[in-house]
Every structure is written in structure tokens, then in C-alpha cells.
Amino acid sequence: MNTDRISELRIEWEAEEKIAHIHGWDFSHIHDRYEEEEDLPWNYKQIIDENRVDSMELLDFDTGGGEFLRSLGHPYGKTAATEGYAPNVELCMKELLPLGIDFKACDDASNVPFADGSFDMIINRHGDFDPEETARLLRPDGLFITEQVGGENDRDLVEMVLPDVPKPFPELELSIQKKKFEDAGLKIIRAEEAFRPIRFYDVGAFVWFAHIIEWEFPGFSVDKCFDRLLKIQEVIDKNGYVEGTIHRYLIVAKKKG
């Protein structure tokens, strides 16, 4: 790779680094530049829809910007949501409260500001959770439906640029979490785990992603990881993409009546 191209790549990647931020949970900036979750063996929204009826009191914990929650079409007067990330809290207050959704700021999954037995269904996609607190919030026969990012997520990608970084959440394994829910008095209705590819078609998209997912890529920067990014570029030049592995698991649990 000649020096002119290396210089151009550095400028390009540093530009991606400077603009890396997120609004809600919006990855549209790298749409068509990467792929993931295209082939999970379950459909999270479909599972919710199969179990949801309009009369239920529903909570979306760690709702992000509320985009997915609104897509469900659940009656707003029977819908509640929480979020702890400050920019998203502001967004939810602006977007959800005027609809009549009972939104509360909350960044502690073990101390959720709703009364015992408030909900028939609690949903949680890629957010924090506490099985004991979930059991407290659910009514008898209430359902908890969650799709989570597992502890092995993106590890091969992380090791390409930050080889000595430990796993941030090693306890996020299906077998460990199933037992925690059972210990909290919930019955496991469904539990599945999947490892699927994630592909990046240009290094700039990878740089943006690594800055957004900072808990997986702590301390990442173009300057610090430049030589390793050049190696990823060589892989993309050869194959058209660089591939890693996502780790997801699904739990549907029911509070005993």
C-alpha cells in the first residue's frame, strides 16, 4: 500500500471518528456499509406480537429512543418506558411523553420507579436487566421477553484492533442468565442462543461502529490502532469485507401465578 493511499485512509478514518455519535439507536450512518442480525433464528418483534394484547400494561425497559416501542402500536395509555442514557432520556421526554406514554428516566435496572406488579409484559432489547426486579414488576402470569447481546459479541473484531482487552460482560451467557431468572421465581418459556456473522464493507464504517460501541472497544482510536486498521483494510481489499461474529440470546420468562 503506497504512502499516498495510507495518508488518504488516515484522513478518511479520522473524519469518521470525529462524527461518531448516536441519536436514539440509529445506525443509518453506516447503513449499506455493514450487516448484522440478518439471519437470527428468531424474530423479536414477532415473539412480542404473538404474546401481546392491547389490554396489557407493557413496559419497555431501556427503550433507547423509543423507536422500536412505537413500532409495536401498543395503546399509548397502557405503555411505559425507561431509559438511562442522558441524550436518549431527553429524546424520549420529547417524543414519548406527549403521546401519553408513561416514560421515566432510569439507569438502575435494580431500582425501577414503578410499583410492584405493574405490568403484564416487560420487554427489553439489548438493555440492562435484573431478574429479581423484573419479577417484582410483573403481575402473576406476566411475561418478560428479552433479546440480549452475549458476552462473546464482536470479540474477534475487538481482538483485531485491541488484542489485550478483556470481555466487558463475561456473565452474559444464556446458561448463567437462565438460572438467575429461575432463582428469581420465573419460569423459562423459551431460551435460545445464536452466533452469526457481522460484516463491514469499509474500514470507515468499522471506525464509526467501534466508537459507538465504546464498552466493547474501550480506548479505541484511529491513531492508537492505525496499523491494525491497515491490516483490516488489506482484508477488505482482498475479500470485499471483514467479518466478525455477533452473540445473541433470547429469553422468554413467565412469572408464576
Side-chain angles (χ1 to χ4, degrees), residues 205-224:
F206 176 85
V207 167
W208 188 92
F209 180 91
H211 270 281
I212 295 300
I213 314 297
E214 57 187 353
W215 53 92
E216 288 187 352
F217 296 85
F220 171 83
S221 71
V222 170
D223 185 62
K224 177 180 178 179

Side-chain angles (χ1 to χ4, degrees), residues 5-25:
R5 187 174 185 221
I6 290 172
S7 297
E8 291 171 0
L9 289 172
R10 181 183 284 275
I11 292 169
E12 176 186 323
W13 298 342
E14 287 178 345
E16 290 285 356
E17 188 170 46
K18 288 177 181 177
I19 64 172
H21 67 279
I22 197 150
H23 182 74
W25 195 245

Side-chain angles (χ1 to χ4, degrees), residues 88-187:
N88 286 345
V89 168
E90 183 179 350
L91 178 63
C92 288
M93 292 180 70
K94 178 183 176 182
E95 299 291 339
L96 301 186
L97 285 176
L99 298 175
I101 291 173
D102 188 2
F103 173 76
K104 298 182 188 296
C106 177
D107 62 359
D108 183 356
S110 300
N111 188 21
V112 182
F114 290 99
D116 295 0
S118 292
F119 301 105
D120 301 292
M121 179 181 287
I122 298 174
I123 62 174
N124 181 319
R125 185 175 184 268
H126 301 184
D128 198 5
F129 58 90
D130 180 332
E132 294 283 350
E133 186 73 344
T134 299
R136 180 187 72 80
L137 292 166
L138 282 173
R139 295 172 175 171
D141 295 322
L143 287 176
F144 177 63
I145 301 174
T146 188
E147 178 190 296
Q148 288 292 329
V149 177
E152 295 292 336
N153 193 63
D154 295 335
R155 288 305 302 173
D156 35 13
L157 294 173
V158 173
E159 289 168 4
M160 290 179 191
V161 289
L162 298 166
D164 299 322
V165 169
K167 298 177 188 177
F169 307 108
E171 77 285 358
L172 292 183
E173 304 290 340
L174 181 61
S175 59
I176 295 172
Q177 297 306 321
K178 278 176 61 180
K179 186 175 188 308
K180 288 185 177 181
F181 280 101
E182 290 167 343
D183 290 345
L186 298 172
K187 180 181 179 181

